[in-house]
Structures are given as structure tokens and as C-alpha cells.
Amino acid sequence: MMTARRRILISGASIAGPALAYWMNRSGWEVTVVERAPELRTGGQNIDIRGAGREVARRMGVEEEIRARNTHEVGTQFIGTRGQAVASFPAGRDDTGGATAELEILRGELSRVLFDLTKDHVAYRFGTTIRSLDERRTDIQVTFDDGTEERFDLVVIAEGMRSRTRRLIFPGTDPVVTKNMSTAYLTIPRTPDDTDWWRWYSATGGRSITLRPDNLGTIRATLSYPTRGDEGAATDDDPSRVRAALRERFADAGWQAPRVLREMAHADELYLDRVGQVHLDTWHHGRVALVGDAAYCASPLSGMGTTLSLVGAYVLAGELGRSIDIETALQRYEEILRPFVTCAQDLPPGTPRLANPRSLAGRAVFHGVMRAAASRVGRRLTAGLFRPPADAFKLPDYE
Ligand SMILES: Cc1cc2nc3c(=O)[nH]c(=O)nc-3n(C[C@H](O)[C@H](O)[C@H](O)COP(=O)(O)OP(=O)(O)OC[C@H]3O[C@@H](n4cnc5c(N)ncnc54)[C@H](O)[C@@H]3O)c2cc1C
């Protein structure tokens, strides 16, 4: 007798969602992915795939494709007021080392790779969100925003740090812990003076400007500044207000601020958010689970968000494949992954305040420390301190 395939609904088609879709399809589940945006979102900047995350990419067969789309960033440089390099850290040659990882790709490019890998076997529905969830004894009924209803065995939320559907299973909790800093991301034209370094300029007042190369012939810029509590930035704010506020904040920042602010007027996508982490005591409730940033965002400061998403999707699917009982699988997923997440969320001391000094004296001290850290001896002494813990996890074998 043929048994019906088990059905999973995944909400969010960025990194964690399509990665989970890949593994669940391979385990024989029928997979549907809904995404709030009308089409695949291709924005975003450089993200790193390190250690265990790289091993998952390898097992998915996409490591070479990711490498082919590498941003070719050669390392990180801290820049002084005259535009000179104060300290340089060349890109790591191994899986984990340094701020620039060897497997570095634009977020939108990785999302495209994972979408292309799964699109023929997975039902993607764009412009769709979950309105409500009704769990029963043997399944869960989902009502979508257009009023249609469908039943699934499992729902997984992969909606990123600011997930709204998460509120349906954990009402009244806000698990986002902000880091008192906001970052605006935008793409600007490349000029002949640009380099392939990730250039980091600390203006005073806790502000910083960074410029990074990409593989598409443009430059990825960020503007970061301190925020407190609920003040300031949110992705959903009115874009013209966001632009005006950034112009005011960075008018006297120096270095390439005038150029970035000028180009901001023409930038297609300005992505702005408060930097934060997600801390939850549990990542599932009944037949609903969380994966990626929605469950355990470590923040862009960690360099570990994408690695956690890839590893989380792999472990969640692996445990579901191993166990008939969904509850047991979801518990095992948490038990196995939690120590790795805790490690990744534990940011280097002084992050983000030390790298974003408030005063001229603070900037001089910061540059002094970076200069010492960039020396041959300094590099040996500090390597462990700034190395993201991407190897602190041994991937289980599920096949
Ligand atoms: C447009 C964009 C740009 C980014 N830029 C950077 C960057 O420059 N640097 C960096 O380090 N990280 C960036 N990130 C975050 C980075 O992608 C994640 O930290 C990491 O890769 C984990 O991915 P995720 O799939 O868990 O979550 P995310 O990448 O945050 O993706 C969540 C997905 O869920 C969708 N979604 C949200 N709410 C709903 C809903 N209610 N219903 C259905 N779908 C929903 C979103 O549209 C998005 O596609 C960006 C994310 C996005 C969406």
C-alpha cells in the first residue's frame, strides 16, 4: 500500500528556507515554500560561509557554484581620516579565519543558488503569507492571507530576525535583543579609485562607513550608527524619511560620506535595520518549528548568520528524516544545535562599541590596537579571539 508523502510548509525563501526545502525534498517530503515578497529577494551584501556551514554547502553540491560567485574581497582594512590604510588583515585561506572568509558571496546570489537548486522539486509561492495556524491531533491547518486553507504535517518558520508568524506560536514575546546599533546597506557604482579590500572607516560619534567589492562590478556600502532601545531605524520605515535621517547623521562624517550620501539618492534598495540577536528558550511549539535567523539570529557582527542557517536546516531535516515522531525530532534538533548557537551568539569582547569609537581619542586608541593586531606577532596572538567559532560543531551524518 502506498503511504501519502508527509507535507511540510516553510515560510521564508531567503537562505534557511530554501536550504531546508532542499533537504526535506531529499528525505521524501512534499515541500511548499511561501515568501512574503512578490519575487525572490536578491538584495543584501557580503555574507560568509564558514566551517560547518561550508561542509553543508559541500554536501548540497553547491560549494563550487558559491566559489564561482565569490566577491573576490582580498581582506579587511581600517582606514584613517586621510583615506590611508591604518591596519590591513588579508583574507583567510582556511574555512574560518579572519573577517573576510574564503567562501564569501552576496546574500542575493546565495539565495538564487539555493532557489535554483530546489525550484523544480519544491512548490514556491511568492507574495503569500500565513494568516493563522490551527493545530490538530494529526496535522496543522494553515490559513493563508488570501483566505485559502491547507493542511500540513509540519510548519517551519524561516522568516528572519523580525518574523511575524513567530508571534502566532509565541504570543506576547519579543525575542529580539538589539545591540544599540543600526546599519543601512546600499549598492553604489564602483569608481577607478575603489579597491578589492573591505574598507572600514570609523567616524566619531559611534558612526562607521564601510565599502566592499562585489562580483557584479558595484560597491556595497554600509552606514552604521548608534541607536538606543526603539529609537531610530526599521526596515519598514518610509524610505524618504530614512534617507533624510541618514543624510543628516553622516553629513560631517568625513572620508567617503559625501559620495555614499550622494549615491544613496539613486540606490534601488536601501536595507536598514537595527542590529540584533534572537534569543528563545525553545525553537518549536507543537507542529511548528523555527530555523535560521527567526530562531537564533546571531547578528551580522558574528559573521555566523548564514552558517547557522545552513547547519540548522541540515540538522532539522536530518532529525526529521531519522524519526517518525515529529516532537522527538524537533527536540533532538534543539539539543544538537543549541551549543553551537550559544557559541556563535557570544560576540567578541567590546562588540560593537570598540569598533565604533565615539571620540577622536577613542578612534586613536582603536587604530592603535588594530595596528598592533595586524602585525605578525599581533596576528598570532589575536587569531583565536576574532575567529568566528564556525568549526565548533561536528556535523552529524544522516545518510
Ligand atoms: C533583503 C535582505 C538583505 C540582507 N542583507 C544582509 C547583509 O547585507 N549582510 C548580512 O550579514 N545579512 C543580511 N541579511 C540577513 C541574512 O540573509 C541572514 O542573516 C542569514 O542569511 C539567515 O537567513 P534566513 O533565511 O534565516 O533569514 P533572512 O535572510 O532574514 O530571510 C527571511 C525571509 O523571509 C521572508 N519573510 C519575512 N516575513 C515573512 C512572512 N511573514 N511570510 C513569508 N515570508 C516572510 C523575507 O522576505 C526573507 O526572504 C539580509 C536579509 C535580507 C532578507
Side-chain angles (χ1 to χ4, degrees):
M1 188 183 71
M2 284 251 298
T3 50
R5 288 170 81 197
R6 292 200 281 177
R7 303 190 74 215
I8 181 172
L9 173 69
I10 300 169
S11 183
S14 173
I15 307 297
L20 180 65
Y22 170 81
W23 291 109
M24 295 306 293
N25 172 65
R26 268 191 57 161
S27 304
W29 286 56
E30 188 186 321
V31 186
T32 303
V33 179
V34 289
E35 163 60 48
R36 183 177 58 183
E39 57 192 26
L40 195 71
R41 299 177 71 175
T42 53
Q45 306 214 343
N46 314 45
I47 51 172
D48 309 328
I49 303 168
R50 302 169 184 268
R54 180 169 171 175
E55 179 57 28
V56 173
R58 222 170 255 161
R59 293 184 189 186
M60 294 174 84
V62 292
E63 188 193 5
E64 283 319 307
E65 207 169 336
I66 293 171
R67 195 183 294 283
R69 294 171 187 241
N70 196 289
T71 58
H72 304 300
E73 188 173 281
V74 296
T76 310
Q77 266 180 348
F78 291 89
I79 302 294
T81 40
R82 285 172 288 107
Q84 80 282 17
V86 171
S88 303
F89 298 87
R93 295 261 172 273
D94 57 20
D95 272 4
T96 39
T100 301
E102 201 196 336
L103 225 48
E104 179 126 355
I105 183 171
L106 293 177
R107 190 211 69 92
E109 294 259 279
L110 178 59
S111 193
R112 167 69 58 193
V113 167
L114 299 177
F115 174 73
D116 286 346
L117 181 70
T118 50
K119 66 180 194 298
D120 294 338
H121 314 284
V122 166
Y124 279 93
R125 295 185 205 159
F126 288 92
T128 307
T129 56
I130 296 171
R131 184 190 291 167
S132 64
L133 298 167
D134 180 14
E135 184 158 347
R136 298 126 182 267
R137 204 175 54 79
T138 55
D139 60 17
I140 181 162
Q141 179 161 307
V142 178
T143 307
F144 295 102
D145 55 347
D146 64 0
T148 56
E149 294 175 343
E150 237 172 289
R151 287 178 194 186
F152 296 89
D153 295 281
L154 177 66
V155 173
V156 178
I157 300 170
E159 296 176 0
M161 181 172 83
R162 304 224 174 257
S163 165
R164 292 191 189 161
T165 311
R166 187 175 54 204
R167 291 186 210 149
L168 297 177
I169 55 164
F170 298 123
T173 26
D174 180 6
V176 179
V177 179
T178 52
K179 293 286 170 194
N180 299 332
M181 189 173 114
S182 290
T183 300
Y185 301 87
L186 65 154
T187 306
I188 63 175
R190 188 174 171 124
T191 66
D193 291 339
D194 284 318
T195 70
D196 284 336
W197 287 89
W198 175 5
R199 288 179 293 162
W200 182 307
Y201 170 76
S202 301
T204 49
R207 298 165 298 173
S208 64
I209 302 172
T210 68
L211 299 180
R212 306 182 78 167
D214 65 25
N215 56 321
L216 305 178
T218 47
I219 290 286
R220 307 280 157 156
T222 65
L223 300 170
S224 297
Y225 55 94
T227 35
R228 243 176 270 126
D230 273 350
E231 171 214 349
T235 305
D236 296 339
D237 279 356
D238 169 11
S240 59
R241 263 203 4 237
V242 167
R243 283 178 162 84
L246 287 170
R247 268 197 298 274
E248 203 179 310
R249 253 176 219 280
F250 282 86
D252 64 344
W255 192 50
Q256 304 243 1
R259 170 191 174 195
V260 176
L261 295 178
R262 198 175 53 244
E263 294 300 346
M264 187 174 67
H266 320 290
D268 288 345
E269 192 181 25
L270 181 66
Y271 179 76
L272 173 70
D273 207 355
R274 278 185 291 273
V275 175
Q277 295 190 329
V278 171
H279 291 266
L280 279 162
D281 292 337
T282 178
W283 302 328
H284 74 277
H285 181 84
R287 289 177 179 273
V288 186
L290 303 170
V291 71
D293 276 8
Y296 31 73
C297 177
S299 89
L301 303 170
S302 72
M304 288 287 290
T306 305
T307 292
L308 287 184
S309 289
L310 292 175
V311 173
Y314 173 83
V315 173
L316 175 54
E319 291 303 322
L320 284 162
R322 197 175 253 186
S323 170
I324 286 290
D325 170 23
I326 287 179
E327 174 65 24
T328 307
L330 298 184
Q331 260 168 22
R332 290 273 306 146
Y333 157 60
E334 287 201 25
E335 278 164 24
I336 293 170
L337 201 67
R338 185 148 316 252
F340 189 39
V341 166
T342 304
C343 218
Q345 288 187 327
D346 188 11
L347 300 176
T351 312
R353 237 167 54 103
L354 287 184
N356 298 283
R358 305 234 164 188
S359 63
L360 287 171
R363 180 166 66 192
V365 170
F366 175 58
H367 281 171
V369 170
M370 285 300 122
R371 215 176 276 124
S375 68
R376 202 180 314 156
V377 176
R379 235 176 273 170
R380 261 209 320 272
L381 291 175
T382 57
L385 197 60
F386 296 107
R387 180 179 286 254
D391 283 328
F393 186 74
K394 184 164 172 0
L395 276 188
D397 288 318
Y398 290 114
E399 290 175 322

